Amino acid sequence: MKSVNTELGATSELFMLLASIAYVVALIFFVLDLVKSSRTIGAVEARLAAGQAQAPAQAKVLAGARGGASAPVPAGPAMADTSMDYSAGPRRSSARIAVALTVVATVIHGAAVLTRGIAADRVPWGNMYEFCTTGALVVSLIFLITLTRKDLRFVGSFVIGLVVIMLCAATVGFATPVANLIPALQSYWLIVHVSIAVASSALFTLTFAMSVLQLIQSSREARIAAGGPDKAGFMRLVPPALSLENLSYRLNAIAFVGWTFTLIAGAIWAEEAWGRYWGWDTKEVWTFVIWTVYAGYLHARATKGWTGTRAAWLSIVGYLCIVFNFTIVNIYFSGLHSYSGV
């Protein structure tokens, strides 16, 4: 039996608290950026619309003065950059502060997970508390890595909000003292199986946030096209629904490959631990259900033309299955996987 360093475990919990505070402050700045930037874009669009409304009258005056030669008038208002690429637009100080705070929070969060692992002398994902805190860390890391390629700061309030929820759930609902692993988990397959599951779930978390934004943006675009009011002004900063859908589809495809390896690694581990690859255990069944939902999502979008809101809803359903598998199945269903630690 390996020794457990309870003092270092307490230090890990302190780091986790500090990281949570930093994430909350980052979340506030991400929300502030959405509000401020959407107002700025709205004011610019209003000025452009007013200028274009005056242009025809001014053109007529100029035409009369020049003997009938009319000046060209620009067509359509200039819209905000929605390419998800960084551009030379106005400095968004709130967004910069939010990202910087997210980096700080992620570093502290990483220290918390690392010290937890050192305290237990093993990988720190042996129960629901550790899986949840490690999963939240990977979500934040993937978000920051993606920011180096695409300007996804508009989704920061949703992603970091989910990270805060995960840390609150881990601390309040799944709190587990640092301890040794039960015999069933003492295998190198724990590292392979769970690490891939955590990374895949983190990507699915990011696409879940983007799918929710896609539904909101799609509804907003339809309302504006019909001549209705813009009731979701904060979405001015968010790219079009189609852009969100395309990026979400690509990320879901990557995560699906990871989840496939999760399913395969779990079956191999099950054969090593229990002498069979598949036993219809509740956890096994729901892992396969998740795989089936995302497989259906990818197939329907690629071959059946399921785009728009239908694709977004399938992506959301898949993530809700992940949440159900992690919470309800782990807590309320008994089986060979009943070692959540709560």
Side-chain angles (χ1 to χ4, degrees), residues 168-326:
C168 288
T171 304
V172 177
F174 309 139
T176 307
V178 61
N180 289 305
L181 290 174
I182 64 172
L185 294 179
Q186 294 175 10
S187 169
Y188 61 89
W189 282 107
L190 174 68
I191 301 174
V192 178
H193 175 64
V194 180
S195 61
I196 298 174
V198 168
S200 302
S201 299
L203 276 174
F204 285 137
T205 300
L206 185 58
T207 59
F208 165 74
M210 296 183 69
S211 295
V212 171
L213 284 176
Q214 177 190 336
L215 290 177
I216 299 173
Q217 188 70 299
S218 178
S219 175
R220 173 177 175 263
E221 290 171 353
R223 186 166 52 249
I224 293 176
D230 186 1
K231 297 181 179 180
F234 71 95
M235 294 294 290
R236 293 189 183 99
L237 195 63
V238 179
L242 182 59
S243 298
L244 291 171
E245 179 184 350
N246 289 336
L247 181 57
S248 178
Y249 172 72
R250 292 195 293 270
L251 294 177
N252 270 330
I254 297 172
F256 176 75
V257 173
W259 197 258
T260 302
F261 279 110
T262 298
L263 196 61
I264 294 172
I268 296 173
W269 188 8
E271 196 280 332
E272 181 184 280
W274 303 311
R276 87 291 187 279
Y277 291 100
W278 190 263
W280 296 104
D281 184 75
T282 308
K283 190 76 171 178
E284 295 172 345
V285 170
W286 273 96
T287 301
F288 181 71
V289 167
I290 294 167
W291 185 90
T292 303
V293 171
Y294 280 106
Y297 159 83
L298 295 173
H299 177 75
R301 192 185 183 282
T303 64
K304 300 297 183 182
W306 273 46
T307 58
T309 56
R310 290 189 297 182
W313 276 115
L314 264 179
S315 177
I316 291 172
V317 168
Y319 188 74
L320 293 179
C321 289
I322 292 176
V323 174
F324 182 86
N325 186 38
F326 177 68

